[in-house]
């Protein structure tokens, strides 16, 4: 099961990912981004928590302006 870190404010994306069988981790601190396959953030807050500066191998997806389906497609493309 792929673990996806999702910013707390993106509840619709968290729900959509859970429906697809992904394990969802709420991104609250920098350490939350360490053991995930992918991180979903909003453009406004993408660097507030330092996620883009952290040493994670996870792909970062900026959900700004994307629907939950768009984000799911991005994740599936990046993890395939």
């Amino acid at each position: 099961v792929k673990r996806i870190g999702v910013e707390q404010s993106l509840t619709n994306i968290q729900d959509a990912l859970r429906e697809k069988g992904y394990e969802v981790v709420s991104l609250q601190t920098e350490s939350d981004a360490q053991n995930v396959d992918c991180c979903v953030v909003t453009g406004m807050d993408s660097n507030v928590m330092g996620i883009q500066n952290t040493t994670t191998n996870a792909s970062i997806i900026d959900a700004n302006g994307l629907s939950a389906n768009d984000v799911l497609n991005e994740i599936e493309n990046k993890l395939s």
Side-chain angles (χ1 to χ4, degrees):
V1 174
K2 298 289 185 185
R3 297 183 73 204
I4 312 296
V6 182
E7 209 170 274
Q8 276 186 297
S9 62
L10 299 171
T11 52
N12 60 329
I13 292 171
Q14 290 177 11
D15 294 342
L17 287 168
R18 284 191 185 101
E19 281 178 27
K20 290 281 189 181
Y22 291 101
E23 183 181 342
V24 176
V25 177
S26 184
L27 295 176
Q28 297 173 346
T29 65
E30 190 175 330
S31 62
D32 293 334
Q34 304 239 325
N35 295 312
V36 296
D37 298 296
C38 196
C39 293
V40 181
V41 297
T42 59
M44 299 180 311
D45 300 335
S46 62
N47 220 19
V48 169
M49 295 185 303
I51 289 173
Q52 291 181 333
N53 297 334
T54 188
T55 52
T56 179
N57 293 330
S59 297
I60 309 268
I61 294 174
D62 181 355
N64 196 25
L66 300 179
S67 71
N69 275 343
D70 292 338
V71 172
L72 279 172
N73 290 335
E74 288 280 325
I75 289 170
E76 287 167 4
N77 288 339
K78 289 184 184 283
L79 297 180
S80 62

